[in-house]
Amino acid sequence: MSKQNPLPVIAEECCAPLAREPISKDDAAELAKVLKAVADPVRLRLLSLIAARDEETCVCDLLPEFDLSQPTISHHLKTLREAGLIGSERRGTWVYSWVIPQALDRLSALFDTAREEAGVR
Amino acid sequence: MSKQNPLPVIAEECCAPLAREPISKDDAAELAKVLKAVADPVRLRLLSLIAARDEETCVCDLLPEFDLSQPTISHHLKTLREAGLIGSERRGTWVYSWVIPQALDRLSALFDTAREEAGVR
DNA sequence: TTCCTGTATCGACCGATGTCAATATCGGCC
DNA sequence: GGCCGATATTGACATCGGTCGATACAGGAA
């Protein structure tokens, strides 16, 4: 386990919106990893369940939301963690997760179609 | 081929930002399809190359950007088209593509983390 | 220490996906 | 009509990815 995201795929900023200028090969490869992490119905729901809470979410609260085995959910959470989308921490018996807003913000900005100025800001 | 997107996966609006409320199973399944379409380095670059232009893009201009066979690029373009992310039209010998901004806007809104009001609008 | 509950890892299975070569189709042109 | 260049479709192949059961690990409680 890890206090923060173990493999912070998205270290820091990266690339302007898709519509601003052609993305580089390297940026495309890195972003595709993150997008693959969210491109799954189960992980989308996990991410949403975690993100929609004000507080950290216990894995034990996520399990009953799905008709899937515990190892499968654990696997999906690991995927989200390795993509830098969520963080997790064990506290006693339970493991709690939270979203990393910067990761969502980057994806939101990636698909931004605003045509005006702005730069990377 | 098709003048517009043949399988408009994203018919119209759908779902608030992930962080606002837990997404439904159906919405998650539908959004995952669209996200799978962009969760590939080649398709991300294709989308960006098309989106970053002011005018429609000829497929013949896209091919030399990649070290991939023509059928492979054609296949990826079809994937983007079926996801409702781009439109295509044949004009004479060539086929031209353009992005569908509403599709990008939806993805951008999906990952929005703004906490305040807003509704769907 | 020993048990018990919550979570992670392992190994296997199988369907989905990216890629190519071969071939088909579409339109323009001669 | 017949040819040719641009794009699409087909079929095959290899790899990837989601799922499970079995099992390992962590930590609290008795």
Side-chain angles (χ1 to χ4, degrees), chain B residues 56-78:
Chain B
E56 303 175 357
T57 308
C58 177
V59 173
C60 59
D61 288 333
L62 295 171
L63 287 176
E65 297 290 329
F66 298 85
D67 294 328
L68 293 170
S69 70
Q70 174 268 322
T72 297
I73 298 300
S74 182
H75 163 71
H76 284 305
L77 287 171
K78 181 179 184 181

Side-chain angles (χ1 to χ4, degrees), chain B residues 73-119:
Chain B
I73 298 300
S74 182
H75 163 71
H76 284 305
L77 287 171
K78 181 179 184 181
T79 300
L80 290 173
R81 224 180 300 126
E82 291 182 346
L85 290 160
I86 65 172
S88 299
E89 183 183 21
R90 163 166 248 135
R91 276 204 295 280
T93 305
W94 297 277
V95 172
Y96 295 86
S97 303
W98 58 89
V99 297
I100 298 178
Q102 293 82 1
L104 295 188
D105 289 342
R106 269 227 312 166
L107 294 182
S108 184
L110 183 69
F111 296 110
D112 189 36
T113 56
R115 242 29 185 95
E116 41 251 307
E117 210 282 343

Side-chain angles (χ1 to χ4, degrees), chain A residues 38 41 44-45 48 52, chain B residues 9-35 102-114 118-121:
Chain A
V38 292
L44 265 184
R45 290 183 58 210
S48 185
Chain B
V9 174
I10 333 182
E12 52 264 0
E13 302 303 329
C14 146
C15 20
L18 281 185
R20 185 174 312 285
E21 56 180 313
I23 196 174
S24 77
K25 279 190 184 181
D26 288 350
D27 287 345
E30 189 177 330
L31 281 166
K33 287 184 191 171
V34 183
L35 287 168
Q102 293 82 1
L104 295 188
D105 289 342
R106 269 227 312 166
L107 294 182
S108 184
L110 183 69
F111 296 110
D112 189 36
T113 56
V120 181
R121 207 244 174 305

